[in-house]
Amino acid sequence: MQSYSLIAPAKINLYLEILGDRPDGFHELIMILQSIELADRIDIQPSDTQKIYLYCDHPQVPTDETNLAYRAAQLMCDVFPEMHANYGGVSIKITKNIPVAAGLAGGSGNAAAVLVGINLLWQLGLTQPELQDLAAKLGSDIPFCIAGGTAMATGRGEKLDEIKHLNDIWVILAKYENISVATPWAYQTYRQQYSDTYIRDLTAIKSRTAKIHSRPLVEAINHQNRQQIGKLLHNDLEKVVLPSYPQVAELKSAFAAQDVLGTMMSGSGPTVFALCESQTQAIAVKDQVRTQIRDPQLKFWVTKFASSGIQIKL
Ligand code: ATP
């Protein structure tokens, strides 16, 4: 029986700016997204029945239809009913390495892997842009998770422009196991506190979005200027998450005091990342911060930038 193992990398946000409200109730965003090598593994194979079965080794991850990977499989069954009838359902096994509800798009990556896996299992021959169109129906980060690498994301985060890929930057991730931040809470709180700064007129949003292409961070990426990249990291959501979670703010300050290129919270948090020039430096910084904040709930990962999204594990 044909089966596939897929690698689904996590992402970090090098840049996240909230421009305003969209008519569909989401926020209009400008983000620069970066894949990292920390990844989940998704094994997918045909099931004996027409049903979708999902298993996950992480107790916090739901295994019912609320799981994004399950919803991705359901979407494929709905869009390709003849293939579903012909090939039957699928059985999905998720092996979690990416921390859950951490601002690292773990669930989105799992869903992206399921779309890629079913495309292979059912021999649909969908192109990457076709898969990304389907992905956008499920969630804003999923189109990026399919392609991976380094990309500019606008709209809700689903409109992607590839930018020069960044290599050889090491990343330390740190997250308190007992803290998780719900993404909707972070955006709603931001709206409550900062909606007076929102750009209200659609034309102004469009011209503001166009200007991002000349923004200093994109230039720094184009020139692979690591020092500048580290200095220009930005995340609007820090303004609401850090005051509500003082431990996360303290963690970021601890990284900022080290010899790092830069440090920032990823997405809606609470993961904080720091960028380093080498693996040795990343390990040294991690050890320093670990001795400063002696909390058994604080977990660290050392990883590096990745240049691709979903990959088939041979
Ligand atoms: P994002 O950065 O895209 O907002 P996140 O990294 O903050 O996502 P996830 O790890 O994707 O967060 O999980 C958010 C919530 O989604 C979890 O609390 C979990 O209940 C639910 N969830 C649904 N499907 C998955 C999945 N496949 N893996 C992890 N969590 C999932």
Side-chain angles (χ1 to χ4, degrees):
M1 200 193 289
Q2 183 68 284
S3 71
Y4 288 95
S5 294
L6 300 135
I7 300 299
K11 67 92 187 122
I12 54 172
N13 296 78
L14 302 180
Y15 190 90
L16 191 161
E17 182 180 353
I18 298 173
L19 295 187
D21 273 322
R22 295 162 51 94
D24 60 11
F26 286 92
H27 278 100
E28 187 74 26
L29 304 173
I30 297 180
M31 298 192 285
I32 298 178
L33 303 171
Q34 175 65 52
S35 304
I36 53 176
E37 286 189 352
L38 177 71
D40 290 341
R41 175 183 165 143
I42 312 294
D43 292 293
I44 185 161
Q45 62 180 55
S47 70
D48 298 335
T49 69
Q50 293 301 108
K51 285 195 196 157
I52 299 162
Y53 297 94
L54 191 135
Y55 309 89
C56 181
D57 62 349
H58 195 298
Q60 249 178 287
V61 175
T63 51
D64 58 10
E65 60 284 349
T66 62
N67 190 301
L68 265 180
Y70 187 104
R71 288 179 44 214
Q74 188 62 60
L75 177 73
M76 292 301 258
C77 294
D78 295 345
V79 176
F80 302 102
E82 283 170 21
M83 294 300 189
H84 180 208
N86 197 17
Y87 285 93
V90 288
S91 171
I92 301 161
K93 188 175 137 214
I94 303 174
T95 310
K96 272 271 159 204
N97 298 307
I98 304 171
V100 175
L104 299 171
S108 298
N110 295 173
V114 167
L115 296 180
V116 172
I118 293 181
N119 188 34
L120 293 166
L121 273 183
W122 293 356
Q123 300 181 48
L124 295 169
L126 298 175
T127 61
Q128 186 166 290
E130 286 169 338
L131 282 171
Q132 287 175 318
D133 283 347
L134 286 171
K137 294 183 202 297
L138 289 169
S140 310
D141 283 343
I142 308 179
F144 169 75
C145 291
I146 290 179
T150 313
M152 166 95 66
T154 52
R156 289 183 286 126
E158 84 291 6
K159 286 189 211 141
L160 298 174
D161 284 302
E162 220 180 293
I163 46 180
K164 198 162 174 173
H165 283 199
L166 285 165
N167 296 311
D168 294 329
I169 295 185
W170 286 83
V171 187
I172 312 148
L173 302 171
K175 179 185 180 284
Y176 285 96
E177 256 189 343
N178 55 343
I179 303 180
S180 40
V181 174
T183 306
W185 170 86
Y187 279 101
Q188 277 157 24
T189 310
Y190 192 90
R191 181 179 284 122
Q192 278 160 16
Q193 294 182 11
Y194 293 98
S195 64
D196 55 328
T197 66
Y198 284 12
I199 305 174
R200 307 228 165 251
D201 143 19
L202 266 183
T203 328
I205 283 191
K206 278 195 186 129
S207 70
R208 175 71 193 78
T209 306
K211 276 198 211 123
I212 182 75
H213 294 287
S214 61
R215 281 193 76 93
L217 181 54
V218 179
E219 271 170 33
I221 291 171
N222 284 335
H223 292 103
Q224 306 275 305
N225 184 335
R226 291 174 168 67
Q227 301 291 338
Q228 278 302 317
I229 291 166
K231 286 195 188 110
L232 295 165
L233 300 171
H234 176 81
N235 183 351
D236 272 340
L237 290 174
E238 282 196 343
K239 292 183 224 164
V240 292
V241 178
L242 298 189
S244 300
Y245 296 88
Q247 279 174 291
V248 181
E250 186 202 349
L251 178 59
K252 192 187 164 195
S253 304
F255 277 120
Q258 300 294 320
D259 178 22
V260 293
L261 294 168
T263 179
M264 189 60 44
M265 186 182 80
S266 183
S268 52
T271 304
V272 173
F273 69 85
L275 305 183
C276 290
E277 300 250 30
S278 70
Q279 184 178 22
T280 318
Q281 189 196 5
I283 293 170
V285 168
K286 177 198 75 174
D287 291 344
Q288 278 290 334
V289 175
R290 200 201 284 280
T291 35
Q292 268 176 39
I293 307 176
R294 291 184 178 278
D295 186 329
Q297 294 285 343
L298 183 58
K299 302 288 175 221
F300 294 88
W301 295 259
V302 171
T303 181
K304 66 195 282 230
F305 282 13
S307 55
S308 53
I310 306 303
Q311 291 156 66
I312 305 163
K313 194 170 156 55
L314 299 170

mmCIF file of all heavy atoms in Angstrom, residues 53 76 95 99 118 128 179 192 194 196 198 203 211 216 230-231 236 249 254 289 306:
data_model
loop_
_atom_site.group_PDB
_atom_site.id
_atom_site.type_symbol
_atom_site.label_atom_id
_atom_site.label_comp_id
_atom_site.label_asym_id
_atom_site.label_seq_id
_atom_site.Cartn_x
_atom_site.Cartn_y
_atom_site.Cartn_z
ATOM 1 N N TYR A 53 -8.877 9.101 9.443
ATOM 2 C CA TYR A 53 -8.410 8.747 10.795
ATOM 3 C C TYR A 53 -7.204 9.605 11.107
ATOM 4 O O TYR A 53 -6.363 9.838 10.229
ATOM 5 C CB TYR A 53 -8.013 7.270 10.864
ATOM 6 C CG TYR A 53 -9.176 6.352 10.599
ATOM 7 C CD1 TYR A 53 -9.400 5.867 9.306
ATOM 8 C CD2 TYR A 53 -10.038 5.974 11.616
ATOM 9 C CE1 TYR A 53 -10.473 5.026 9.048
ATOM 10 C CE2 TYR A 53 -11.119 5.130 11.365
ATOM 11 C CZ TYR A 53 -11.326 4.667 10.081
ATOM 12 O OH TYR A 53 -12.395 3.846 9.817
ATOM 13 N N MET A 76 -9.961 18.080 0.874
ATOM 14 C CA MET A 76 -9.602 17.326 -0.342
ATOM 15 C C MET A 76 -10.731 16.357 -0.717
ATOM 16 O O MET A 76 -11.052 16.198 -1.898
ATOM 17 C CB MET A 76 -8.286 16.563 -0.132
ATOM 18 C CG MET A 76 -7.078 17.462 0.011
ATOM 19 S SD MET A 76 -6.812 18.522 -1.423
ATOM 20 C CE MET A 76 -5.483 17.676 -2.248
ATOM 21 N N THR A 95 3.542 13.231 14.191
ATOM 22 C CA THR A 95 4.561 13.159 15.243
ATOM 23 C C THR A 95 5.011 14.592 15.505
ATOM 24 O O THR A 95 5.610 15.236 14.643
ATOM 25 C CB THR A 95 5.746 12.268 14.801
ATOM 26 O OG1 THR A 95 5.210 11.035 14.324
ATOM 27 C CG2 THR A 95 6.708 12.028 15.954
ATOM 28 N N PRO A 99 6.418 22.964 19.230
ATOM 29 C CA PRO A 99 5.527 23.235 20.358
ATOM 30 C C PRO A 99 4.166 23.753 19.883
ATOM 31 O O PRO A 99 4.072 24.431 18.858
ATOM 32 C CB PRO A 99 6.280 24.284 21.176
ATOM 33 C CG PRO A 99 7.432 24.734 20.354
ATOM 34 C CD PRO A 99 7.671 23.727 19.285
ATOM 35 N N ILE A 118 -1.991 14.105 0.128
ATOM 36 C CA ILE A 118 -3.157 13.577 -0.610
ATOM 37 C C ILE A 118 -2.983 13.821 -2.112
ATOM 38 O O ILE A 118 -3.362 12.980 -2.937
ATOM 39 C CB ILE A 118 -4.479 14.162 -0.051
ATOM 40 C CG1 ILE A 118 -4.675 13.629 1.376
ATOM 41 C CG2 ILE A 118 -5.673 13.819 -0.950
ATOM 42 C CD1 ILE A 118 -5.947 14.074 2.073
ATOM 43 N N GLN A 128 2.007 23.578 -7.279
ATOM 44 C CA GLN A 128 2.140 24.285 -5.989
ATOM 45 C C GLN A 128 1.144 25.443 -5.870
ATOM 46 O O GLN A 128 0.463 25.553 -4.838
ATOM 47 C CB GLN A 128 3.571 24.768 -5.793
ATOM 48 C CG GLN A 128 3.785 25.364 -4.429
ATOM 49 C CD GLN A 128 5.251 25.525 -4.114
ATOM 50 O OE1 GLN A 128 5.976 24.554 -3.915
ATOM 51 N NE2 GLN A 128 5.704 26.754 -4.095
ATOM 52 N N ILE A 179 2.772 28.256 29.236
ATOM 53 C CA ILE A 179 2.126 29.465 28.679
ATOM 54 C C ILE A 179 1.806 29.205 27.213
ATOM 55 O O ILE A 179 2.678 28.799 26.438
ATOM 56 C CB ILE A 179 3.037 30.712 28.769
ATOM 57 C CG1 ILE A 179 3.463 30.988 30.212
ATOM 58 C CG2 ILE A 179 2.339 31.937 28.171
ATOM 59 C CD1 ILE A 179 4.374 32.202 30.371
ATOM 60 N N GLN A 192 -8.642 46.175 20.075
ATOM 61 C CA GLN A 192 -9.206 46.994 21.158
ATOM 62 C C GLN A 192 -8.275 48.158 21.510
ATOM 63 O O GLN A 192 -8.711 49.258 21.769
ATOM 64 C CB GLN A 192 -9.407 46.149 22.424
ATOM 65 C CG GLN A 192 -10.683 45.329 22.410
ATOM 66 C CD GLN A 192 -10.610 44.167 23.402
ATOM 67 O OE1 GLN A 192 -9.761 44.153 24.289
ATOM 68 N NE2 GLN A 192 -11.486 43.192 23.235
ATOM 69 N N TYR A 194 -5.416 49.351 19.690
ATOM 70 C CA TYR A 194 -4.688 50.136 18.674
ATOM 71 C C TYR A 194 -5.502 50.469 17.427
ATOM 72 O O TYR A 194 -4.935 50.928 16.443
ATOM 73 C CB TYR A 194 -3.410 49.390 18.254
ATOM 74 C CG TYR A 194 -2.403 49.300 19.370
ATOM 75 C CD1 TYR A 194 -2.310 48.159 20.151
ATOM 76 C CD2 TYR A 194 -1.564 50.372 19.661
ATOM 77 C CE1 TYR A 194 -1.406 48.080 21.201
ATOM 78 C CE2 TYR A 194 -0.657 50.308 20.705
ATOM 79 C CZ TYR A 194 -0.591 49.154 21.472
ATOM 80 O OH TYR A 194 0.312 49.100 22.507
ATOM 81 N N ASP A 196 -7.194 52.865 16.685
ATOM 82 C CA ASP A 196 -7.081 54.267 16.249
ATOM 83 C C ASP A 196 -5.888 54.473 15.302
ATOM 84 O O ASP A 196 -5.818 55.465 14.588
ATOM 85 C CB ASP A 196 -6.984 55.208 17.468
ATOM 86 C CG ASP A 196 -5.850 54.838 18.397
ATOM 87 O OD1 ASP A 196 -5.538 53.624 18.485
ATOM 88 O OD2 ASP A 196 -5.254 55.741 19.018
ATOM 89 N N TYR A 198 -5.218 52.305 12.857
ATOM 90 C CA TYR A 198 -5.488 51.533 11.641
ATOM 91 C C TYR A 198 -5.660 52.448 10.427
ATOM 92 O O TYR A 198 -6.238 53.534 10.528
ATOM 93 C CB TYR A 198 -6.777 50.703 11.790
ATOM 94 C CG TYR A 198 -6.642 49.464 12.654
ATOM 95 C CD1 TYR A 198 -5.519 49.243 13.447
ATOM 96 C CD2 TYR A 198 -7.646 48.505 12.675
ATOM 97 C CE1 TYR A 198 -5.411 48.107 14.235
ATOM 98 C CE2 TYR A 198 -7.544 47.368 13.453
ATOM 99 C CZ TYR A 198 -6.424 47.177 14.239
ATOM 100 O OH TYR A 198 -6.333 46.051 15.008
ATOM 101 N N THR A 203 -7.480 52.231 -0.458
ATOM 102 C CA THR A 203 -6.430 52.692 -1.382
ATOM 103 C C THR A 203 -5.151 52.961 -0.608
ATOM 104 O O THR A 203 -4.049 52.633 -1.056
ATOM 105 C CB THR A 203 -6.878 54.004 -2.073
ATOM 106 O OG1 THR A 203 -8.280 53.948 -2.220
ATOM 107 C CG2 THR A 203 -6.197 54.217 -3.387
ATOM 108 N N LYS A 211 4.638 49.856 -0.632
ATOM 109 C CA LYS A 211 5.898 50.468 -0.146
ATOM 110 C C LYS A 211 6.788 49.487 0.624
ATOM 111 O O LYS A 211 7.962 49.719 0.769
ATOM 112 C CB LYS A 211 5.578 51.648 0.764
ATOM 113 C CG LYS A 211 5.340 52.908 -0.008
ATOM 114 C CD LYS A 211 5.464 54.101 0.931
ATOM 115 C CE LYS A 211 4.540 55.195 0.450
ATOM 116 N NZ LYS A 211 3.587 55.618 1.436
ATOM 117 N N PRO A 216 13.506 48.666 4.684
ATOM 118 C CA PRO A 216 14.883 48.284 4.991
ATOM 119 C C PRO A 216 15.096 46.787 5.256
ATOM 120 O O PRO A 216 16.116 46.243 4.861
ATOM 121 C CB PRO A 216 15.180 49.086 6.261
ATOM 122 C CG PRO A 216 14.206 50.203 6.253
ATOM 123 C CD PRO A 216 13.000 49.749 5.501
ATOM 124 N N GLY A 230 18.940 41.385 11.891
ATOM 125 C CA GLY A 230 18.731 41.236 13.334
ATOM 126 C C GLY A 230 18.175 42.509 13.958
ATOM 127 O O GLY A 230 17.292 42.458 14.824
ATOM 128 N N LYS A 231 18.655 43.670 13.483
ATOM 129 C CA LYS A 231 18.200 44.949 14.057
ATOM 130 C C LYS A 231 16.793 45.309 13.637
ATOM 131 O O LYS A 231 16.092 46.043 14.321
ATOM 132 C CB LYS A 231 19.135 46.074 13.594
ATOM 133 C CG LYS A 231 20.466 46.065 14.285
ATOM 134 C CD LYS A 231 21.191 47.384 14.058
ATOM 135 C CE LYS A 231 22.593 47.283 14.596
ATOM 136 N NZ LYS A 231 23.614 47.273 13.549
ATOM 137 N N ASP A 236 4.256 43.719 15.675
ATOM 138 C CA ASP A 236 3.263 44.566 16.356
ATOM 139 C C ASP A 236 2.590 43.849 17.530
ATOM 140 O O ASP A 236 2.185 44.493 18.503
ATOM 141 C CB ASP A 236 2.169 44.995 15.360
ATOM 142 C CG ASP A 236 2.528 46.281 14.621
ATOM 143 O OD1 ASP A 236 3.394 47.038 15.123
ATOM 144 O OD2 ASP A 236 1.940 46.527 13.548
ATOM 145 N N ALA A 249 8.150 38.798 28.346
ATOM 146 C CA ALA A 249 8.897 40.055 28.185
ATOM 147 C C ALA A 249 10.292 39.917 28.796
ATOM 148 O O ALA A 249 11.300 40.338 28.208
ATOM 149 C CB ALA A 249 8.128 41.193 28.856
ATOM 150 N N ALA A 254 16.217 38.996 28.291
ATOM 151 C CA ALA A 254 17.396 38.158 28.568
ATOM 152 C C ALA A 254 18.143 37.858 27.268
ATOM 153 O O ALA A 254 19.375 37.915 27.220
ATOM 154 C CB ALA A 254 16.960 36.865 29.254
ATOM 155 N N VAL A 289 21.128 32.009 28.879
ATOM 156 C CA VAL A 289 19.752 32.377 29.258
ATOM 157 C C VAL A 289 19.178 31.319 30.198
ATOM 158 O O VAL A 289 18.486 31.640 31.161
ATOM 159 C CB VAL A 289 18.864 32.601 27.998
ATOM 160 C CG1 VAL A 289 17.411 32.849 28.381
ATOM 161 C CG2 VAL A 289 19.401 33.776 27.183
ATOM 162 N N ALA A 306 15.471 27.323 7.203
ATOM 163 C CA ALA A 306 15.306 26.269 6.202
ATOM 164 C C ALA A 306 14.851 26.925 4.905
ATOM 165 O O ALA A 306 14.133 27.931 4.931
ATOM 166 C CB ALA A 306 14.256 25.267 6.672
#
